[in-house]
């Protein structure tokens, strides 16, 4: 049996009539740039995320860079970022000429260790960027408290966390501005690159909208230099259809996670994900910490089971950041986990037989049935 890490075809098959109709609608009205679906989607996303505003953009990466730019992050500034994340979390800081300051993670949740943030704050620190990794919210109480105490912006990287909740509040509704990704494999995935920004604050909405449109306001008048970072109308039309199913899909992922938890917990040699009771985890990824990852990976490969390592190299050890002079041993939890995490197939349509085969194969590897 071949078990891919994810299979986007199953979801398309189920929604084909609706999605094809939505796309055809855009073909017919031909407003490919900033068409009516973009505005409609923004209203629905703001409602979904329980924020005042949502702004559609071309990717999660663009969402984050525009968020930081809108807050005035510039060369010389420092932004606190967890070292264990997708590259974009730090890349956007560097692209604005600012300096990412890396913090280690909490071994249990994989999220930034908020107890270690304070010691990294300097007079140059302008913002904290928590990442809600794998779909579980970071420790937002502590982060918002630090933000108030030190007068720092909070930009949530909610790329993996649309619909995740922290104490009944939506991820992406805590910080000054938040960025989301609709990369095809994210929980709300487009048919290409897409993303959006949320904020509750009136003072940022105008600059956010301007920055995605070359900084123009009105058209052809540029008080600032922005980006070409619009959300495609076709992508918006697709996302409008999919958004209706998102909560169902989260629930389906959570049921699959529960099965993995039940079947795999207690096996010596691996640890299933830890979830705080106050968190609603949307399981963008289901990630184990394992002994002998290389061996397990080989066994999964042998059995044609898809898996991935998110992420094999912590950001502070990336070659592009060598001038920041971090070295091995600086952020030991992330360094250790980078060598021992492995993510398993989890998506709403994951067939039962596939999941059972993944579980059997892992149990077999760790010698327990
Ligand atoms: C996916 C992702 C991004 C970037 O989103 P894109 O839409 O791929 O640009 C940023 N941060 C995290 C944590 C992500 O998972």
């Amino acid at each position: 049996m071949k078990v891919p890490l994810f299979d986007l075809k199953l979801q398309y098959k189920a929604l084909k009539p609706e999605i094809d109709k939505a796309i055809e609608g855009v073909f017919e009205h031909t407003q490919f740039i900033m068409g009516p679906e973009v505005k409609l989607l923004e209203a629905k996303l703001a409602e979904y995320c329980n924020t005042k505003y949502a702004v559609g953009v071309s990717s999660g990466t663009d969402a984050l860079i525009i968020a930081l730019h809108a807050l005035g992050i510039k060369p010389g500034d420092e932004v606190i970022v967890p070292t264990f994340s997708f590259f974009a979390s730090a890349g956007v800081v560097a692209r604005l000429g600012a300096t990412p300051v890396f913090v280690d993670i909490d071994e249990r949740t994989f999220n930034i260790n908020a107890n270690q943030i304070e010691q990294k704050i300097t007079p140059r620190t302008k913002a904290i960027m928590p990442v809600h990794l794998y779909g579980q919210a970071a420790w937002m109480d502590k982060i918002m408290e630090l933000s108030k105490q030190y007068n720092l912006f909070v930009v949530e990287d909610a790329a993996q966390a649309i619909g995740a909740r922290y104490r009944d509040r939506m991820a992406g509704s805590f910080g000054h501005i938040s960025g989301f990704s609709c990369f095809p494999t994210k929980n709300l995935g487009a048919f290409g690159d897409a993303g959006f920004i949320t904020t509750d604050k009136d003072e940022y909405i105008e600059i956010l909208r301007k920055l995605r449109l070359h900084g123009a306001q009105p058209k052809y008048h540029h008080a600032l230099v922005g980006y070409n970072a619009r959300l495609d109308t076709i992508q918006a039309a697709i996302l409008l259809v999919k958004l209706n199913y998102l909560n169902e899909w989260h629930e389906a992922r959570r049921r699959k996670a529960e099965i993995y938890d039940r079947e795999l917990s207690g096996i010596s040699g691996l640890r299933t994900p830890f979830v705080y009771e106050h968190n609603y985890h949307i399981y963008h990824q289901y990630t184990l910490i394992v002994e002998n990852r290389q061996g397990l990976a080989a066994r999964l490969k042998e059995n044609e089971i898809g898996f991935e390592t998110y992420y094999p190299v912590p950001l502070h050890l990336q070659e592009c950041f060598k001038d920041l002079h971090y070295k091995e041993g600086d952020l030991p939890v992330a360094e250790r986990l980078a060598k021992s995490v492995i993510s398993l197939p989890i998506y709403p349509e994951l067939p039962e037989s596939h999941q059972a085969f993944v579980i059997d194969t892992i149990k077999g590897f760790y010698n327990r049935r």
Side-chain angles (χ1 to χ4, degrees):
M1 184 184 329
K2 209 175 173 130
V3 177
L5 184 59
F6 48 80
D7 183 353
L8 299 175
K9 285 187 221 80
L10 294 173
Q11 193 169 86
Y12 176 50
K13 249 189 223 158
L15 299 182
K16 185 172 166 44
E18 264 189 281
I19 287 184
D20 288 4
K21 191 164 152 252
I23 295 173
E24 270 172 34
V26 179
F27 289 172
E28 295 293 336
H29 69 52
T30 66
Q31 293 181 57
F32 300 117
I33 303 295
M34 298 300 283
E37 287 84 353
V38 174
K39 231 187 181 137
L40 196 57
L41 179 68
E42 288 175 341
K44 295 227 157 139
L45 287 171
E47 192 189 332
Y48 184 86
C49 294
N50 207 10
T51 54
K52 193 158 178 193
Y53 303 104
V55 179
V57 291
S58 40
S59 71
T61 305
D62 289 327
L64 293 171
I65 199 166
I66 288 174
L68 292 173
H69 190 147
L71 295 170
I73 303 301
K74 58 182 189 315
D77 292 345
E78 294 177 356
V79 178
I80 289 173
V81 179
T83 190
F84 196 65
S85 181
F86 177 61
F87 177 73
S89 309
V92 293
V93 176
R95 275 179 59 197
L96 287 169
T99 306
V101 173
F102 296 110
V103 170
D104 209 349
I105 54 167
D106 174 351
E107 157 128 44
R108 289 163 302 174
T109 60
F110 307 101
N111 281 325
I112 190 164
N113 186 337
N115 283 327
Q116 293 182 14
I117 291 176
E118 197 163 14
Q119 68 206 59
K120 300 282 180 116
I121 295 174
T122 76
R124 291 164 177 259
T125 309
K126 290 286 153 55
I128 307 171
M129 186 156 70
V131 180
H132 308 304
L133 204 70
Y134 305 147
Q136 174 166 222
W139 185 11
M140 291 314 295
D141 284 344
K142 176 77 179 177
I143 290 163
M144 296 316 293
E145 192 184 298
L146 289 166
S147 150
K148 281 200 192 82
Q149 194 180 341
Y150 291 93
N151 200 20
L152 303 174
F153 294 119
V154 172
V155 173
E156 290 172 72
D157 180 344
Q160 303 188 357
I162 182 171
R165 293 195 297 268
Y166 175 87
R167 299 195 195 287
D168 285 326
R169 236 174 106 179
M170 295 301 255
S173 73
F174 291 84
H176 295 75
I177 308 179
S178 301
F180 291 81
S181 169
C182 299
F183 185 85
T185 55
K186 298 274 157 80
N187 286 39
L188 179 66
F191 284 17
D193 277 307
F196 65 97
I197 301 165
T198 56
T199 186
D200 266 334
K201 310 224 185 276
D202 296 327
E203 65 259 47
Y204 304 130
I205 187 62
E206 202 172 313
I207 188 167
L208 291 170
R209 286 182 181 144
K210 262 192 231 177
L211 281 171
R212 80 168 156 185
L213 274 170
H214 295 291
Q217 180 73 276
K219 215 171 174 183
Y220 308 125
H221 293 71
H222 302 264
L224 55 107
V225 177
Y227 306 77
N228 177 356
R230 297 166 297 232
L231 173 64
D232 258 23
T233 309
I234 289 176
Q235 300 301 345
I238 293 164
L239 292 171
L240 270 171
V241 172
K242 288 189 159 203
L243 186 57
N244 293 323
Y245 299 91
L246 186 58
N247 286 339
E248 265 171 56
W249 291 336
H250 291 333
E251 281 298 310
R253 283 174 186 261
R254 286 167 58 83
R255 284 195 296 276
K256 313 271 178 205
E258 212 174 283
I259 293 171
Y260 276 136
D261 283 347
R262 193 175 62 231
E263 295 291 328
L264 298 177
S265 63
I267 295 180
S268 102
L270 66 81
R271 202 210 73 181
T272 54
F274 171 87
V275 185
Y276 276 109
E277 230 168 85
H278 58 251
N279 277 337
Y280 181 84
H281 195 321
I282 59 155
Y283 290 100
H284 172 58
Q285 299 297 345
Y286 186 91
T287 302
L288 300 174
I289 301 175
V290 299
E291 283 169 17
N292 189 6
R293 181 173 71 189
Q294 214 180 348
L296 177 63
R299 177 69 65 91
L300 294 173
K301 209 164 177 180
E302 221 171 85
N303 286 282
E304 298 190 293
I305 293 171
F307 61 90
E308 190 52 271
T309 300
Y310 305 109
Y311 297 89
V313 183
L315 298 174
H316 69 284
L317 299 179
Q318 293 289 349
E319 194 185 341
C320 62
F321 295 134
K322 65 178 185 298
D323 293 347
L324 300 176
H325 304 296
Y326 288 88
K327 56 185 190 316
E328 256 192 271
D330 284 347
L331 303 171
V333 177
E335 289 168 25
R336 182 156 40 80
L337 293 186
K339 295 189 173 84
S340 55
V341 290
I342 191 161
S343 299
L344 304 179
I346 191 160
Y347 56 97
E349 305 80 11
L350 174 67
E352 246 171 72
S353 59
H354 284 200
Q355 189 176 17
F357 186 55
V358 174
I359 289 165
D360 281 351
T361 305
I362 295 173
K363 280 182 172 170
F365 181 74
Y366 289 104
N367 286 324
R368 193 166 133 192
R369 268 165 202 282

